[in-house]
Amino acid sequence: MVTRSNELAGPWRAVQFGPGSGLGASEIAGRDDAAWVDATVPGVIQYDLVRNDLLRNPYASSQTAHAAHWVSAADWVYTTSFDLDPQSDADRWGLEFEGVDTYADVWLNGKQLGNTANAYRKYRFEVAVSDLRPTGNELVVHVKGHGSMIVDKVAEARKRLGHVDEVEGKLGKSLIRRYQRSFFSGSSSLLNIGTGVLGIGVHRPVRLIPLPAVEITDVFVSTVSLATAFATLEGRVTVDTRGAAGPYDLTLTLTDPDGTDTVVASARTPVTGTSEPTELRLTLDVAEPRAWWPRGYGDATLYPLTVTISRDGVVVDTVSQAVGIRTIELLEEKPSGRPTFEFIVNGVPIHVRGTNYIPIDYLKVHGDDAAYERVFALFENGNNNLVRMWGGGAIESEGFYDECDRRGIMVWQDFYLHSNTYPDYDEEFVAEFRQESRELIVQMRRHASLVMLCGGNEQREGWDEWGWKDLIDQFYGEKLITQTIPELVDELQPGVPYVDNSPHGGLWSQSPVRGEGHIWGNFFNSTKDPLFVTETCWGQESYSRPETLKEVMDLDVDEFTGLGWPEKWAERTGLAMLTRFPFTGYHHTGGLREYIRGLEIEQAMADHFSLCNFRLRSGSNRGIVYWSFNKGGPLFQFGAVDYRLRPLMSHYMVARLYRDVVVGAYRDIDDVRVVVSNLSTSPIEAELELVHVNVEGEVIKRWTATKSIAADTNARVLDLDEYYRDGVVDRNREAIFARVTVDGVAVSDDLLMLCPMAELETPKSAISTKVRKVGEGVWELDMTTDGFSKLVQVENADGLILSDNYFALVAGFPRTITVRALERAGDANIVLSVSSIDSEAADDVVLP
């Protein structure tokens, strides 16, 4: 039935459909003797089949993933029924599909309304009231197997693009407009078990909405000029009068951002009836504007905007949205002529601390409200001020981008082209991609958080560096990013910079001297002082937590122990053992649980060491965008948050380096140096305390220093010449610990280990934890030690967000962390586990 939000919530059911039935899709929908399964919309049929014991879990192993290929090759018929809202007197309705994966015919009450061919697009089918019944309307969606819809394209694609794989791989990725990275692409696949599994179904909400006789179809307000005393905005409103006789009045009303409903600006213009949608432009003048700022630079102020169209004083249609007053520039050359790559918001240079977002669900792409609540809590906990919607992913909902607007999280938006060639020789493909891109620009341009449009991910890198030039005769897909998208940007004027690909600008993808780069791999790359880092991750790979592997793959890590367990692991997943741990030396053996933990530690420390180079020792760097925020599959190699959104060690390592003020100690030949970075908007008086300690926590030597550091500046605060040579005796049992305090508050620590982490021989020092409840669902943990722990870990934190975790703790340097509950079941106390990394014992800490 139609819910309050007009979403067709079901119940839905689905059945496999084949041409051998002798029936059409709309006919089989009425057959109760068909093999129906209860279906979830939004969702994908794979999960419905697993739930009904008709398919083995495709995540479970390499074998079950391969065995699931038939599902996306088959056709499926979905059906539901609904009643009309008896309170509505609409003459026409819109049946809206927020997304279908991918090809489908849509039928209502036996009449075909149209079809879908692109999972990146939204579709609306208009329905006359005469085609609807008061009750018992039958909606049928015939979703077609992916491969069957590209049969006539395959031969040409193999010839020109050089693909030799099948639909689940790069061939399908080139031809089918759906979640790009879910296609199998070899060793760096999201699923990471030797193949890809393609989701199929009605994976986004379906709604039936009453349509007004005259409709406002788009509203975009841009900032023309911004000064302290005055701002000029331009409102661009598209109205579809459908030829109805006018005149109509179009009114824009901007009200106070504090919610007082005080009008701060308004504009009105007449509208005449036309047969085609018409764009009208109006000017709004705002006195003493309050600008929208990125997180950390000021308030993300949003003005409520109401747009109405009326006739003879009667409102026919109205649209409400939020408007941020801000200007965006991309500076690529300083006045001296030296190259740079930095965002300028409202005239102020911004230092980006961001992350790359991967869709939450490998098969159905999107998550539920609780998942997105956790995503944004982790964005903020990670001190991110930008999220890159990367070209291998998928378009998110308006609610996602609205939340970025509210929280001041800038959005770098790629178009959905990813590490592949595309058939820009095919007019049908180009036309579909052009419409997809048009809709993306129109959706995104109204958001204050949007700061960049980018043509795609790593196509130029592939052409320049991956040997494509030796395999195919030209860069297929280049015209999409150099002609198709730029033409749309010129037409639609989104008001933000456009670059045609990421990475771009330099001679190669990891160029530090021009444009922005994807800087990772060899640790040497982190030392090159890059202008802007759009992807970065270090170490080999890591996997999701054991709890997640159990929930998603039904894999019990404790069944992989004893002699021969690596062969058992490889048989199930196709993954070979990784045996090199250069950043930590933790060669964990004995079983899969220990191995996974070792990989997580290795990746976290690799991230720490490499990002320290960007943050503290790269004077040209104007931004770091970590790869990636989350794992796109349970065994995906990268990600600071696992597949079920459990934060991993890297989340906290990166979060500490994304703080406004960061301290770092490092060895420079025989000297020890300490740098403090201040990316806040104000100068600080940094008070440094540095101690050389042994592993019992005894201080060998202590130093203090105070230094004034300007905003957006790194400064060397202390130099200990020849101290590493003359002051350090036993590198396995000594370390140097730094803490910086600003205005009496400890804001950053760093531990300089003088040997690999595994070789630092910390004894089992006692950790004392005192708990204080400071609010509903909020606690503070005061932690101290009588010795020295190189890595304190707080575990069993499901449903909680910790302000910090996986940190060094030294006697005399207490630490307080805040714990916040995202969700809590019942009145039972929460019990955390606190331990040191090398200790087998853990202390229980109860949160009352």
Side-chain angles (χ1 to χ4, degrees), residues 464-465 503-512 514 516-517 525 528:
D464 292 337
E465 301 177 32
H504 87 290
L507 180 64
W508 66 311
S509 64
Q510 302 209 8
S511 170
R514 290 190 182 275
E516 41 79 39
N525 290 327
K528 295 178 180 177

Side-chain angles (χ1 to χ4, degrees), residues 56-117:
R56 292 182 63 195
N57 180 1
Y59 296 118
S61 68
S62 180
Q63 294 78 14
T64 61
H66 279 92
H69 284 178
W70 70 270
V71 179
S72 61
D75 285 19
W76 300 90
V77 171
Y78 284 76
T79 184
T80 190
S81 62
F82 61 91
D83 299 340
L84 279 185
D85 181 353
Q87 304 300 316
S88 176
D89 59 358
D91 291 327
R92 64 190 185 102
W93 295 74
L95 183 62
E96 292 191 344
F97 288 78
E98 197 168 320
V100 176
D101 194 357
T102 296
Y103 302 98
D105 293 336
V106 178
W107 299 74
L108 180 62
N109 295 333
K111 179 180 179 179
Q112 185 173 354
L113 300 181
N115 58 70
T116 71

Side-chain angles (χ1 to χ4, degrees), residues 42 203-204 357 359-361 364-372 396:
H203 75 308
R204 301 294 284 143
Y357 174 79
I360 289 174
D361 192 289
K364 72 183 182 71
V365 185
H366 303 88
D368 58 20
D369 290 345
Y372 287 116
E396 275 296 343

Side-chain angles (χ1 to χ4, degrees), residues 233-253:
L233 313 181
E234 181 184 61
R236 297 163 62 181
V237 181
T238 303
V239 176
D240 187 358
T241 64
R242 299 176 61 85
Y248 295 92
D249 287 323
L250 179 68
T251 304
L252 278 67
T253 305

Side-chain angles (χ1 to χ4, degrees), residues 123 242 736:
Y123 291 85
R242 299 176 61 85
I736 293 174

